[in-house]
């Protein structure tokens, strides 16, 4: 069903086709800029080929985007961020050329701040929406248009008369964006509950004359959490009366086809949730969402009689040359931007092992953050306190696939290296933290590992619910991780164990001295983490000593230009404690095979390749290898 859209309407019914993209993340051309090679399974220029074909088949169609379109690739770094660029934003050029009927804002549109977003959107007349972001003290007035009515004139299949069809749209994003981009949004906007907003606006659209209501929901499908407050609230939204179709996204998955969970409410075969047709069209333009609504006309207007949902892959599609020509200038400018020289790497830097050891990409990021914050703290009241740096790996496969790893060869460093090491436009800040707070911080991070039983042989090492960017190292401390202890937190930050349970973090020290709960530190980190991103508590306002103000990628670029990659220590911050008779199984990118000396040094065993293309590796955890592996 994922690649087969409807080809005709049933007799006696009119046909409206809803075409949808989501989470394109500025991947316009089918080109992987961080690897400088063509990509055969993503890119809006490939999606455009499907869009054009799907439009030609249907009697009537609308084209929608569900958010996260302005951030996520070097194109966005150049045109959305602070780097110098000329000309109109290529993403907006592409969307203008394709003729989108409406665009919903996703959470990543706010990574650059409201003022920069306003400036970018001023370049286009495309209708951009967000229904649940309001301005404080303005009686619920939304920051962006909350609803939209699209009208099509549809021929009645039986009478031949032209009848107006009014399609109402609302657009929703998770209220957790106030945490993720709190540095840009706090005190300027508020984000209301998605489900409550839908309950309010759907009947309003009906009262305004909408025959159909379509929801652009920048949220995922999570059968395990159907509460109104969930980040991934599609299940709860599907319970709202009056919705005829829904576009989902945010989690970069594909529906129908790969959700991986079927419940009484989810029908993968029909592509429905609670009987409502739903699509989720992947990531980076990998799929086109297609919802076909087959309509009958009653005395009260049009209503849905039947429907069909599909998520069609772009694999095997050619790029649409017309669209490629429209954005050619931006493509060439981006290639020039990412090839700017910065420094030199005396040896390769890769992230294939960054989830199972204190790795060089993490140490490089931590060093760059520390240098930037040392400058910001110099001469101030906190300059003499110990400065730690919290860093996580950002390219670790997962839903982005087996090629989504940092792999910088020995030789020249460029802005491509920066994009690979740090793909997000975060701002850096610094906060106060006690010894007790850094210990809990590390317990949350170490919860990414499964509990390992001594003597049980091969066991899964990583909890797949934890994305790589949720797994922090606190550079400046040393510690051991006891894998035989149970994890203290789940991937949402919910506590799993009582405080009295044996901790995973042992031997925590700073400069060789054990860390006491009452010790005081300054921690350099990004704003996403500081405001509660991942399984972490938001930092209280009074703990900030440097507000988010320094661009993380700018700091990294300056560090690489000054120091390259080889000034960081190779002595690991943390190590696994030995687990006799145990081996940890994990997945990584097949590019690791090119680093056979490291594999041999760590005792890694190749256990084959998964159907998705990931390399399965076994890491011995006994006393002879685990110290070097960490």
């Amino acid at each position: 069903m994922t690649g087969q859209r409807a080809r005709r309407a049933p007799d006696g019914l009119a046909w409206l086709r809803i075409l949808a993209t989501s989470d394109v993340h500025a991947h316009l051309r089918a080109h992987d800029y961080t690897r400088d090679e063509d990509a055969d399974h993503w890119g809006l220029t490939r999606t455009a080929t499907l869009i054009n074909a799907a439009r030609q088949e249907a009697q009537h169609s609308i084209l929608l985007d569900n958010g996260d379109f302005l951030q996520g690739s070097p194109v966005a770094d150049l045109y959305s961020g602070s780097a110098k660029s000329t000309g109109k934003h290529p993403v907006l050029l592409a969307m203008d050329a394709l003729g989108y009927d409406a665009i919903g804002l996703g959470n990543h549109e706010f990574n650059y701040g409201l003022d920069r977003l306003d400036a970018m959107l001023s370049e286009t007349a495309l209708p951009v929406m967000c229904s649940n972001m309001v301005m404080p003290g303005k009686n619920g007035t939304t920051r962006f248009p909350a609803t939209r009515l699209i009208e099509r004139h549809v021929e009645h299949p039986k009478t031949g008369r032209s009848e107006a069809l009014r399609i109402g749209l609302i657009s929703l994003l998770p209220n957790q964006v106030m945490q993720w981009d709190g540095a840009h949004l706090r005190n300027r906007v508020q984000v209301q509950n998605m489900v409550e907003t839908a309950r309010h606006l759907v009947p309003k659209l009906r009262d305004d004359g909408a025959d159909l209501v379509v929801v652009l929901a920048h949220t995922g499908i999570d059968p395990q959490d159907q509460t109104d407050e969930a980040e991934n609230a599609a299940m709860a939204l599907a319970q709202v009366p009056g919705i005829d179709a829904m576009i989902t996204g945010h989690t970069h998955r594909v529906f129908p086809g790969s959700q991986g969970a079927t419940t009484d409410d989810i029908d993968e075969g029909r592509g429905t949730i609670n009987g409502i047709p739903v699509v989720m069209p992947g990531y980076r333009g990998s799929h086109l969402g297609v919802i076909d609504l087959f309509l009958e006309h009653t005395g009260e207007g049009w209503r849905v009689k039947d429907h069909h949902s599909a998520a069609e892959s772009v694999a095997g599609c050619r790029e649409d040359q017309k669209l490629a020509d429209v954005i050619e200038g931006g493509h060439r400018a981006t290639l020039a931007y990412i090839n700017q020289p910065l420094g030199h790497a005396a040896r390769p830097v890769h992230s294939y092992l960054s989830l199972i050891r204190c790795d060089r990409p993490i140490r490089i990021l931590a060093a760059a953050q520390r240098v930037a914050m040392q400058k910001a703290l110099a001469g101030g009241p906190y300059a003499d306190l110990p400065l730690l740096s919290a860093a996580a790996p950002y390219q670790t496969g997962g839903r982005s696939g087996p090629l989504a790893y940092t792999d910088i060869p020995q030789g020249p460093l460029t802005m491509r290296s920066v994009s690979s090491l740090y793909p997000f436009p975060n701002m850096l800040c610094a906060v106060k933290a006690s010894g007790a707070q850094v210990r809990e911080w590390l317990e949350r991070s170490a919860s990414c590992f499964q509990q390992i039983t001594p003597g049980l042989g091969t066991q899964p090492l990583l909890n797949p619910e934890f994305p790589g960017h949720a797994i922090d190292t606190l550079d400046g401390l040393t510690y051991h991780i006891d894998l035989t202890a149970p994890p203290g937190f789940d991937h949402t930050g919910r506590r799993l164990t009582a405080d009295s349970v044996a901790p995973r973090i042992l031997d925590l020290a700073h400069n060789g001295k054990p860390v006491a709960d009452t010790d005081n530190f300054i921690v350099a980190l990004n704003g996403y983490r500081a405001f509660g991103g991942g399984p972490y508590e938001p930092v209280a306002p009074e703990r900030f000593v440097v507000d988010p103000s320094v661009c993380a990628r700018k700091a990294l670029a300056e560090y690489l230009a000054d120091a390259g990659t080889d000034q960081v220590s190779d002595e690991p911050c943390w190590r696994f404690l030995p687990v006799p008779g145990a081996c940890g199984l994990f997945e990584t990118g097949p590019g690791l095979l090119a680093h056979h000396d490291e594999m041999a040094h760590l005792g890694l065993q190749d256990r084959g390749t998964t159907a998705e293309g990931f390399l399965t590796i076994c890491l011995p955890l006994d006393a002879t290898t685990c110290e070097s592996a960490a």
Side-chain angles (χ1 to χ4, degrees), residues 342-353:
L342 290 177
H344 186 271
R347 51 185 168 138
V349 177
H350 65 81
S351 64
Y352 297 117
L353 301 174

PDB file of all heavy atoms in Angstrom, residues 342-353:
ATOM      1  N   LEU A 342      38.715  25.160   6.417  1.00  0.00           N
ATOM      2  CA  LEU A 342      38.750  25.580   7.820  1.00  0.00           C
ATOM      3  C   LEU A 342      40.047  25.195   8.530  1.00  0.00           C
ATOM      4  O   LEU A 342      40.557  25.931   9.348  1.00  0.00           O
ATOM      5  CB  LEU A 342      37.575  24.969   8.582  1.00  0.00           C
ATOM      6  CG  LEU A 342      36.181  25.487   8.262  1.00  0.00           C
ATOM      7  CD1 LEU A 342      35.139  24.713   9.054  1.00  0.00           C
ATOM      8  CD2 LEU A 342      36.081  26.975   8.591  1.00  0.00           C
ATOM      9  N   GLY A 343      40.525  24.006   8.296  1.00  0.00           N
ATOM     10  CA  GLY A 343      41.677  23.516   9.036  1.00  0.00           C
ATOM     11  C   GLY A 343      42.082  22.170   8.488  1.00  0.00           C
ATOM     12  O   GLY A 343      41.830  21.840   7.320  1.00  0.00           O
ATOM     13  N   HIS A 344      42.694  21.349   9.343  1.00  0.00           N
ATOM     14  CA  HIS A 344      43.215  20.060   8.890  1.00  0.00           C
ATOM     15  C   HIS A 344      42.994  19.004   9.964  1.00  0.00           C
ATOM     16  O   HIS A 344      43.116  19.270  11.163  1.00  0.00           O
ATOM     17  CB  HIS A 344      44.712  20.183   8.583  1.00  0.00           C
ATOM     18  CG  HIS A 344      45.306  18.947   7.982  1.00  0.00           C
ATOM     19  ND1 HIS A 344      45.830  17.926   8.749  1.00  0.00           N
ATOM     20  CD2 HIS A 344      45.427  18.564   6.683  1.00  0.00           C
ATOM     21  CE1 HIS A 344      46.263  16.963   7.946  1.00  0.00           C
ATOM     22  NE2 HIS A 344      46.046  17.329   6.690  1.00  0.00           N
ATOM     23  N   ALA A 345      42.632  17.804   9.510  1.00  0.00           N
ATOM     24  CA  ALA A 345      42.499  16.642  10.396  1.00  0.00           C
ATOM     25  C   ALA A 345      43.656  15.690  10.119  1.00  0.00           C
ATOM     26  O   ALA A 345      43.826  15.218   8.988  1.00  0.00           O
ATOM     27  CB  ALA A 345      41.172  15.935  10.165  1.00  0.00           C
ATOM     28  N   ALA A 346      44.452  15.426  11.131  1.00  0.00           N
ATOM     29  CA  ALA A 346      45.609  14.549  10.963  1.00  0.00           C
ATOM     30  C   ALA A 346      45.202  13.082  10.841  1.00  0.00           C
ATOM     31  O   ALA A 346      45.992  12.257  10.378  1.00  0.00           O
ATOM     32  CB  ALA A 346      46.579  14.727  12.120  1.00  0.00           C
ATOM     33  N   ARG A 347      43.968  12.789  11.281  1.00  0.00           N
ATOM     34  CA  ARG A 347      43.456  11.418  11.144  1.00  0.00           C
ATOM     35  C   ARG A 347      41.940  11.462  11.035  1.00  0.00           C
ATOM     36  O   ARG A 347      41.317  12.484  11.330  1.00  0.00           O
ATOM     37  CB  ARG A 347      43.890  10.543  12.320  1.00  0.00           C
ATOM     38  CG  ARG A 347      43.599  11.117  13.672  1.00  0.00           C
ATOM     39  CD  ARG A 347      44.185  10.207  14.737  1.00  0.00           C
ATOM     40  NE  ARG A 347      44.187  10.812  16.037  1.00  0.00           N
ATOM     41  CZ  ARG A 347      43.863  10.152  17.148  1.00  0.00           C
ATOM     42  NH1 ARG A 347      43.502   8.889  17.080  1.00  0.00           N
ATOM     43  NH2 ARG A 347      43.915  10.753  18.317  1.00  0.00           N
ATOM     44  N   PRO A 348      41.318  10.375  10.604  1.00  0.00           N
ATOM     45  CA  PRO A 348      39.862  10.391  10.377  1.00  0.00           C
ATOM     46  C   PRO A 348      39.082  10.657  11.662  1.00  0.00           C
ATOM     47  O   PRO A 348      39.523  10.345  12.773  1.00  0.00           O
ATOM     48  CB  PRO A 348      39.575   8.977   9.846  1.00  0.00           C
ATOM     49  CG  PRO A 348      40.875   8.487   9.305  1.00  0.00           C
ATOM     50  CD  PRO A 348      41.930   9.099  10.184  1.00  0.00           C
ATOM     51  N   VAL A 349      37.903  11.252  11.478  1.00  0.00           N
ATOM     52  CA  VAL A 349      36.957  11.490  12.570  1.00  0.00           C
ATOM     53  C   VAL A 349      35.624  10.895  12.130  1.00  0.00           C
ATOM     54  O   VAL A 349      35.067  11.296  11.111  1.00  0.00           O
ATOM     55  CB  VAL A 349      36.787  12.995  12.867  1.00  0.00           C
ATOM     56  CG1 VAL A 349      35.736  13.195  13.957  1.00  0.00           C
ATOM     57  CG2 VAL A 349      38.113  13.617  13.273  1.00  0.00           C
ATOM     58  N   HIS A 350      35.124   9.927  12.878  1.00  0.00           N
ATOM     59  CA  HIS A 350      33.850   9.301  12.500  1.00  0.00           C
ATOM     60  C   HIS A 350      33.009   9.030  13.741  1.00  0.00           C
ATOM     61  O   HIS A 350      33.524   9.006  14.870  1.00  0.00           O
ATOM     62  CB  HIS A 350      34.083   7.994  11.728  1.00  0.00           C
ATOM     63  CG  HIS A 350      34.742   6.909  12.540  1.00  0.00           C
ATOM     64  ND1 HIS A 350      34.043   6.116  13.417  1.00  0.00           N
ATOM     65  CD2 HIS A 350      36.030   6.500  12.603  1.00  0.00           C
ATOM     66  CE1 HIS A 350      34.865   5.256  13.979  1.00  0.00           C
ATOM     67  NE2 HIS A 350      36.090   5.463  13.513  1.00  0.00           N
ATOM     68  N   SER A 351      31.703   8.845  13.501  1.00  0.00           N
ATOM     69  CA  SER A 351      30.772   8.649  14.622  1.00  0.00           C
ATOM     70  C   SER A 351      30.188   7.233  14.663  1.00  0.00           C
ATOM     71  O   SER A 351      29.182   7.016  15.331  1.00  0.00           O
ATOM     72  CB  SER A 351      29.627   9.664  14.534  1.00  0.00           C
ATOM     73  OG  SER A 351      28.856   9.466  13.360  1.00  0.00           O
ATOM     74  N   TYR A 352      30.806   6.294  13.983  1.00  0.00           N
ATOM     75  CA  TYR A 352      30.256   4.937  13.958  1.00  0.00           C
ATOM     76  C   TYR A 352      30.236   4.287  15.341  1.00  0.00           C
ATOM     77  O   TYR A 352      29.424   3.383  15.588  1.00  0.00           O
ATOM     78  CB  TYR A 352      31.071   4.058  13.000  1.00  0.00           C
ATOM     79  CG  TYR A 352      31.024   4.522  11.572  1.00  0.00           C
ATOM     80  CD1 TYR A 352      32.183   4.937  10.920  1.00  0.00           C
ATOM     81  CD2 TYR A 352      29.824   4.565  10.872  1.00  0.00           C
ATOM     82  CE1 TYR A 352      32.151   5.370   9.600  1.00  0.00           C
ATOM     83  CE2 TYR A 352      29.774   5.009   9.553  1.00  0.00           C
ATOM     84  CZ  TYR A 352      30.945   5.411   8.934  1.00  0.00           C
ATOM     85  OH  TYR A 352      30.903   5.849   7.622  1.00  0.00           O
ATOM     86  N   LEU A 353      31.107   4.755  16.230  1.00  0.00           N
ATOM     87  CA  LEU A 353      31.189   4.166  17.574  1.00  0.00           C
ATOM     88  C   LEU A 353      30.845   5.169  18.659  1.00  0.00           C
ATOM     89  O   LEU A 353      31.094   4.934  19.843  1.00  0.00           O
ATOM     90  CB  LEU A 353      32.602   3.609  17.806  1.00  0.00           C
ATOM     91  CG  LEU A 353      33.053   2.533  16.811  1.00  0.00           C
ATOM     92  CD1 LEU A 353      34.513   2.170  17.042  1.00  0.00           C
ATOM     93  CD2 LEU A 353      32.176   1.292  16.917  1.00  0.00           C
TER      94      LEU A 353
END
